[in-house]
Amino acid sequence: MGSSIGAAGFNYLFTERQRTKLTSDSVEIQKMGQLVAQAAQKTAEQTAQINAARLDFERQVQLLNAAREDLRVQVARVSGMNDTRRTDNDEVRLRSTLAQQENDLMPQVQASCPMSIPTPTRVLINCKFRNQGNHRVVITNQSRALVNQVTGLPVEGLIGEIAGDQVNSVLQKGENNLNYWVELKVPKERLVGSEFRFQFKADTDPAVVRQVKEFGGKYVTEQQLTNRATMKIVVRETISD
């Protein structure tokens, strides 16, 4: 019987220890569960904060991109306005410079053609040209005629052989002569009072005309410049006895 009591006491003690241990382990497990739950809650809160921060960052990026695009559009608009304004200003300056160059192309030549008649049928002509323009000019002897002062019409059949200079050039702001002689088919006595009419053409240096054409481009035609660069010169001298 004693052994039975001892065995029962042992069993009781063992059972109590196990119950106590199980209770303690349960408490620890509950604590661990609480810690895990707390950790999970903190993790969820941190995840929510991270997601909120990410969304806020994405919104900031979108706002920044929108602001950058708006700035790009404004810069492009201002740049376009400046380019247009610059183009307009350049065109105004080009046209102004071109107009001045066109004016400078116009020959400004003064001419006189004093004559001498050393023999009854030969007339020596010494034409003097003064270039008051800004470019060299080429003088071409185009025609000469005896004109009836009463009718103003050329008198045909009175001029024979012609010899001497037919082309000459005059530098800008310079002077030069064109000398030649004319054979008459009748004695000069029969021509006293008649008028010799000389016609010349003055052309601005062709090289200068080409330069102006290259500068003016589409704003000017070659024919327009050629017309501007040409001048007709008429000189009248009366035959005296």
Side-chain angles (χ1 to χ4, degrees), residues 136-225:
R136 183 181 74 95
V137 296
V138 178
I139 306 296
T140 303
N141 189 350
Q142 286 195 310
S143 66
R144 77 286 316 150
L146 280 167
V147 179
N148 187 297
Q149 285 189 322
V150 176
T151 64
L153 299 175
V155 180
E156 302 294 339
L158 299 182
I159 296 179
E161 184 181 357
I162 301 171
D165 301 331
Q166 300 301 309
V167 179
N168 209 338
S169 65
V170 188
L171 297 176
Q172 60 270 32
K173 311 301 181 183
E175 297 182 1
N176 206 347
N177 296 342
L178 192 153
N179 303 307
Y180 64 103
W181 54 267
V182 176
E183 288 289 345
L184 301 175
K185 292 185 177 181
V186 296
K188 75 165 188 176
E189 287 76 10
R190 294 178 52 184
L191 301 175
V192 172
S194 297
E195 180 182 83
F196 247 118
R197 183 178 298 172
F198 310 98
Q199 182 168 310
F200 305 90
K201 186 178 70 165
D203 293 304
T204 298
D205 189 342
V208 176
V209 178
R210 287 194 297 270
Q211 290 176 357
V212 176
K213 178 63 180 74
E214 292 175 1
F215 175 81
K218 65 179 182 179
Y219 297 103
V220 67
T221 65
E222 186 172 351
Q223 187 59 50
Q224 179 181 344
L225 294 181

Side-chain angles (χ1 to χ4, degrees), residues 31-65:
K31 288 182 179 178
M32 291 179 63
Q34 291 174 353
L35 291 175
V36 170
Q38 291 175 357
Q41 183 179 359
K42 288 183 178 179
T43 300
E45 292 175 353
Q46 291 176 350
T47 300
Q49 291 176 354
I50 291 172
N51 289 336
R54 187 183 72 252
L55 292 174
D56 183 65
F57 174 74
E58 290 176 352
R59 283 194 296 269
Q60 294 296 329
V61 170
Q62 290 175 353
L63 291 174
L64 179 60
N65 289 337

Side-chain angles (χ1 to χ4, degrees), residues 19-90:
R19 183 183 293 114
T20 302
K21 186 176 185 301
L22 288 173
T23 302
S24 176
D25 290 344
S26 177
V27 171
E28 290 297 325
I29 290 173
Q30 290 177 358
K31 288 182 179 178
M32 291 179 63
Q34 291 174 353
L35 291 175
V36 170
Q38 291 175 357
Q41 183 179 359
K42 288 183 178 179
T43 300
E45 292 175 353
Q46 291 176 350
T47 300
Q49 291 176 354
I50 291 172
N51 289 336
R54 187 183 72 252
L55 292 174
D56 183 65
F57 174 74
E58 290 176 352
R59 283 194 296 269
Q60 294 296 329
V61 170
Q62 290 175 353
L63 291 174
L64 179 60
N65 289 337
R68 183 182 293 115
E69 178 63 17
D70 182 64
L71 178 61
R72 186 193 67 79
V73 171
Q74 292 184 25
V75 169
R77 183 182 299 115
V78 172
S79 178
M81 293 172 60
N82 288 339
D83 288 344
T84 300
R85 189 178 299 112
R86 188 181 301 111
T87 300
D88 291 343
N89 291 340
D90 289 345

